[in-house]
């Protein structure tokens, strides 16, 4: 992703970002079947390196949550209304306890064993998406898996562009 840093704000093809994140996450995906359902979605104006970081963090977490000999992750892109694009990352991992869901975006909160996670991945993802004027929705069921949906505007809010300029 480093070469993308040259342009802080740029037009970004979300499907290319998904493919790049999956390529970088490949070492984590050895025991995972990945299915891509990538729709023809418009490019978005964003910080490409930051959005790639969001995708990588969520895909890596999904892979680490899989507690079966063979897991699956389904990545879907789609339009979300006329002005937004959604990226959905669904896994069939262990799921998240309902009592933990409200805290998963808190800095340093982790459900992983001591020494296995910093609790920063989802916190960073949340801050980046929020900064871009988007949101992250989460649905999870213990023993069934989780679905993280990142919704980003095609054009970021004016404050974002002004801050990044």
């Amino acid at each position: 992703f480093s070469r993308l840093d040259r342009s802080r704000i740029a037009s970004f093809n979300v499907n290319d970002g998904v493919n790049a994140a999956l390529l970088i996450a490949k070492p984590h995906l050895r025991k995972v079947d990945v299915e891509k359902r990538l729709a023809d979605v418009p490019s978005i104006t964003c910080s490409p390196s930051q959005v790639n970081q969001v995708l990588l963090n969520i895909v890596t977490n999904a892979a680490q949550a899989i507690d079966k000999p063979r897991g699956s992750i389904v990545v879907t892109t789609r339009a979300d209304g006329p002005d937004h694009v959604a990226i959905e990352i669904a896994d069939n991992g262990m799921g998240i306890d309902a009592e933990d869901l409200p805290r998963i975006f808190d800095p340093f909160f982790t459900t992983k064993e001591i020494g296995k996670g910093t609790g920063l991945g989802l916190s960073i993802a949340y801050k980046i998406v929020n900064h871009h004027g988007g949101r992250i929705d989460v649905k999870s069921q213990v023993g069934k898996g989780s679905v993280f949906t990142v919704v980003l505007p095609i054009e970021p809010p004016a404050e974002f562009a002004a801050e990044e300029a």
Side-chain angles (χ1 to χ4, degrees):
F1 300 143
S2 62
R3 68 181 173 81
L4 297 173
D5 270 325
R6 277 186 265 139
S7 174
R8 286 185 62 77
I9 297 179
S11 181
F12 178 68
N13 181 308
V14 172
N15 292 334
D16 290 346
V18 166
N19 287 322
L22 291 172
L23 185 63
I24 291 173
K26 199 168 191 152
H28 298 282
L29 301 172
R30 284 189 206 109
K31 296 180 179 179
V32 179
D33 296 320
V34 177
E35 181 183 344
K36 295 185 283 187
R37 299 176 183 167
L38 307 180
D40 185 20
V41 294
S43 291
I44 64 172
T45 300
C46 65
S47 170
S49 62
Q50 290 182 2
V51 173
N52 277 331
Q53 186 66 58
V54 168
L55 299 175
L56 182 61
N57 288 1
I58 295 174
V59 166
T60 301
N61 274 9
Q64 291 171 347
I66 293 173
D67 55 351
K68 298 158 183 61
R70 194 85 202 152
S72 78
I73 294 176
V74 178
V75 183
T76 306
T77 59
R78 58 178 158 67
D80 190 75
D83 302 324
H84 291 80
V85 170
I87 307 122
E88 186 178 280
I89 300 166
D91 67 67
N92 69 340
M94 62 184 83
I96 304 165
D97 284 324
E99 64 196 35
D100 289 335
L101 270 176
R103 300 173 49 210
I104 62 171
F105 297 114
D106 293 351
F108 307 110
F109 177 78
T110 183
T111 58
K112 295 175 185 160
E113 301 170 31
I114 294 172
K116 296 281 186 188
T118 62
L120 291 174
L122 289 179
S123 175
I124 290 167
Y126 180 84
K127 285 179 183 162
I128 290 171
V129 170
N130 192 42
H131 186 65
H132 279 76
R135 70 179 194 278
I136 303 178
D137 300 324
V138 184
K139 293 180 187 166
S140 190
Q141 208 174 352
V142 173
K144 301 262 185 188
S146 301
V147 179
F148 282 74
T149 306
V150 177
V151 179
L152 292 166
I154 292 170
E155 290 296 327
E159 321 75 81
F160 173 80
E163 268 182 45
E164 297 297 316

